[in-house]
Amino acid sequence: MAGPALDTDNGTLAGLSARAASFASRWPGLSAALLGLVAACGFPPLHAWWIALPALTLFAAHVHAAPTWKGAAWRGWMFGWAHLTLANNWIATAFTYQAKMPEVLGWAAVPLLCVYLAVYPALAALAAHLAAKRSGPLAFGAVFAAGWIVTEWLRSWVFTGYPWPPLGLMLLGNWDAQGVARLLPWLGTYALSGLAILVAAIFLWLATRPMPSKWHRAIALVGFSIAVIVGPMIVPHRTMDNSDIAYTLVQPLIPQDEINDGTKFEEQFQRTADLTRPGNDTSRLVLWPESAIPDYLEEGYPDRYYRATTYAANPTLARERIGRVLGDDTTLLTGVVNLDIGMRPDGVLGAITARNSVVALNGEGDITHHYAKAHLVPYGEYLPLENWLGAIGLARLTAGTVPYQPGPGPGTLDLGEHGLAGVQICYEIVFSGQVVDRENRPDYLFNPSNDGWFGSWGPPQHLAQARMRAIEEGLPVLRATTTGISAVIDANGIVRQSIPTGVAGKVEGFVPAAKPPTLFARFGNALALTWAALIAILGLGLPRLLALRSERS
């Protein structure tokens, strides 16, 4: 069926069939939601960017077609709600690994969370409508892209922030290719998301502008796709050189349904130790994941807390046992839980807060450094909107009732011959611009995680976002997880070595070298916001420039 004639005033549904245009006009919210679902397929594990980008183009056209500001905001909200609900389905899987709530609540928790998260795409759509409704698709798309940058940045920190996943994640290449994400050092993650919107607007513009024939249009669209998207997405990138820091990265395979089972603790430790011991006569950095050690290793806790394993009744003996596994010249970085002890409201001396932490131990079993997680996981380590969600029976997913306390933020641990280590525990790695101490830049980032409760969508998305941090900061990232995917990522975002999900194993080698500080490493998200301002100025000024050009001709 022939498409409708181009309406040069709004120029938004050109290229769609009349039937599709009629459906979109009659059911704007449903259409936006369907496009949101398709666009979410651009994220790992599907990574179907070849259908996600066309869906994004149709979404831009759909928002442009909105007759009112309410209609634009509604379309943006419905797109965001469906898009983010599918992308975050791994949160629902996490509900299967706890006993406090019915598992089915997980499938309510995700869309409920996305009711809030979808506000940000709605705001971007609203801003584009108010500022550039009467502009052509290219100018409109530029303003939409600028709004998306700002709102995605807001989503990363408002109410403690939840940026998972950024739209630009679909532009990351496969493990051996950077994709369009090679621009991250000059853009930052949120500006890359804006670029995805801008690319969609360019596709829309090419599909609607007058051309001599349909073949010219096809050549323009295919040529732009190959040059800007397809080529970068599939071309492998060279790997980086290595530093002289040797490492052993261990994935012990601790299934989530066994992680709090006291009868399995000794078996888990022995499996971790057996993977670690070979090579303990050399100088090296050993990396264990989050949740690798059930014991409390700190001194000074009431006796009832030292009960995880036989050795945990004496934290000194527990640390010394770990030291014997490591060897004399080794530094271990491992995830632990630390407690803050004080007088509780019931008058009993005990834990008043807990901290999800990483400690460094030497070969003698001495704790030399600490880092405490700053960004806690919603639903996992704290309950968002606790007064409301708690009233309907929701609770956090982690075991215990002691509240988690966030740490101060990025820090660098000086490990001597084993380098300057930046630490980002699990979910922290997804926060663009918030992973590095810029006053004391590390040589590498260590990202321990427990991905065992993340389902099939969570681990590949988590790994992909760690790759984006590597590219934009110019730093290698070493990911050790309990069950997979563990990986060594160089400063170009290329996965050097990996251990898949559901496998016990280790990888060894030398830590990839860091790059000099990138532009993003120097300016952080101020760089992305600068791009937002420039793109907005371009979008708002473009119609006037075209009008002046028309008058002169």
Side-chain angles (χ1 to χ4, degrees):
M1 182 178 293
L6 175 64
D7 181 345
T8 55
D9 287 332
N10 57 40
T12 52
L13 293 176
L16 295 174
S17 71
R19 190 184 301 274
S22 175
F23 179 85
S25 298
R26 186 175 181 183
W27 304 100
L30 178 59
S31 300
L34 291 174
L35 292 172
L37 291 174
V38 175
C41 296
F43 298 132
L46 303 181
H47 205 202
W49 51 268
W50 56 90
I51 62 171
L53 286 173
L56 206 57
T57 299
L58 296 178
F59 171 57
H62 195 39
V63 173
H64 196 190
T68 66
W69 66 267
K70 291 182 180 179
W74 173 243
R75 295 173 193 208
W77 188 90
M78 285 296 293
F79 175 91
W81 178 75
H83 178 76
L84 292 167
T85 296
L86 179 57
N88 285 282
N89 70 76
W90 58 269
I91 296 176
T93 306
F95 277 71
T96 63
Y97 296 109
Q98 51 76 46
K100 294 181 179 179
M101 298 168 287
E103 294 179 10
V104 70
L105 282 182
W107 299 104
V110 179
L112 186 62
L113 171 66
C114 294
V115 166
Y116 158 68
L117 297 179
V119 168
Y120 296 96
L123 290 174
L126 175 61
H129 177 91
L130 294 176
K133 163 62 181 172
R134 298 186 180 279
S135 303
L138 194 57
F140 176 86
V143 178
F144 195 9
W148 196 283
I149 294 170
V150 173
T151 55
E152 196 165 89
W153 168 73
L154 288 172
R155 180 160 67 93
S156 75
W157 62 266
V158 173
F159 301 127
T160 75
Y162 185 76
W164 187 314
L167 190 67
L169 188 65
M170 67 175 64
L171 299 180
L172 180 67
N174 292 326
W175 287 9
D176 61 348
Q178 293 177 311
V180 184
R182 68 185 59 219
L183 298 176
L184 280 170
W186 298 275
L187 297 180
T189 290
Y190 307 128
L192 185 69
S193 295
L195 180 62
I197 296 287
L198 190 58
V199 166
I202 293 172
F203 275 122
L204 181 61
W205 176 70
L206 290 173
T208 58
R209 73 187 303 264
M211 290 191 182
S213 72
K214 63 180 181 180
W215 295 110
H216 287 81
R217 189 183 311 283
I219 291 171
L221 288 168
V222 171
F224 178 75
S225 300
I226 292 175
V228 177
I229 303 296
V230 178
M233 292 298 283
I234 64 175
V235 174
H237 198 280
R238 68 178 183 87
T239 56
M240 295 289 297
D241 295 331
N242 291 327
S243 70
D244 58 359
I245 303 170
Y247 68 84
T248 298
L249 187 152
V250 174
Q251 178 172 294
L253 183 57
I254 304 175
Q256 190 63 27
D257 55 3
E258 297 181 6
I259 210 159
N260 295 310
D261 183 350
T263 66
K264 301 287 186 179
F265 287 164
E266 188 62 26
E267 175 189 332
Q268 293 166 5
F269 178 82
Q270 290 301 330
R271 186 161 56 245
T272 305
D274 290 344
L275 289 166
T276 304
R277 280 194 188 94
N280 63 3
D281 56 346
T282 62
S283 175
R284 60 179 179 160
L285 174 70
V286 171
L287 304 165
W288 290 358
E290 182 185 31
S291 305
I293 299 177
D295 302 335
Y296 293 117
L297 300 181
E298 301 280 355
E299 305 282 353
Y301 298 166
D303 288 344
R304 65 182 179 277
Y305 290 107
Y306 299 119
R307 290 290 182 267
T309 68
T310 303
Y311 281 84
N314 186 324
T316 301
L317 293 178
R319 295 196 306 269
E320 289 177 352
R321 178 168 76 151
I322 294 172
R324 290 193 295 272
V325 170
L326 300 176
D328 293 339
D329 297 322
T330 294
T331 297
L332 169 69
L333 290 176
T334 182
V336 295
V337 173
N338 289 329
L339 302 177
D340 300 307
I341 303 298
M343 195 63 67
R344 300 188 320 206
D346 58 6
V348 175
L349 183 68
I352 53 176
T353 57
R355 287 167 286 120
N356 191 350
S357 302
V358 160
V359 296
L361 283 83
N362 60 25
E364 296 177 354
D366 298 324
I367 296 175
T368 60
H369 297 82
H370 295 82
Y371 171 84
K373 185 178 185 180
H375 281 289
L376 304 182
V377 180
Y379 293 111
E381 292 161 320
Y382 76 96
L383 184 65
L385 304 173
E386 186 169 6
N387 290 338
W388 295 352
L389 299 185
I392 63 173
L394 292 180
R396 79 177 197 210
L397 301 175
T398 48
T401 58
V402 178
Y404 278 86
Q405 180 73 20
T412 299
L413 312 182
D414 187 348
L415 304 180
E417 64 178 316
H418 299 129
L420 300 176
V423 180
Q424 291 291 290
I425 299 175
C426 193
Y427 160 77
E428 289 187 299
I429 199 71
V430 309
F431 288 85
S432 173
Q434 302 180 50
V435 301
V436 170
D437 180 356
R438 301 194 185 282
E439 301 300 318
N440 188 16
R441 179 175 165 84
D443 298 319
Y444 54 87
L445 291 174
F446 174 46
N447 177 220
S449 184
N450 170 18
D451 283 4
W453 59 351
F454 280 16
S456 60
W457 281 55
Q461 288 183 17
H462 207 179
L463 172 62
Q465 291 176 91
R467 292 180 59 205
M468 293 178 79
R469 297 296 83 74
I471 298 170
E472 66 185 1
E473 296 286 353
L475 291 173
V477 177
L478 311 175
R479 269 181 56 79
T481 76
T482 51
T483 58
I485 307 167
S486 299
V488 176
I489 306 164
D490 72 18
N492 284 326
I494 304 305
V495 177
R496 290 277 197 91
Q497 295 175 289
S498 66
I499 308 172
T501 300
V503 173
K506 67 177 180 178
V507 292
E508 295 182 301
F510 289 88
V511 176
K515 286 184 171 183
T518 64
L519 193 65
F520 182 86
R522 291 188 170 92
F523 296 104
N525 285 320
L527 182 64
L529 296 177
T530 299
W531 278 111
L534 292 175
I535 294 170
I537 291 170
L538 176 64
L540 294 172
L542 186 59
R544 181 168 178 79
L545 290 174
L546 293 175
L548 289 173
R549 179 181 176 185
S550 178
E551 290 175 3
R552 290 175 181 174
S553 61

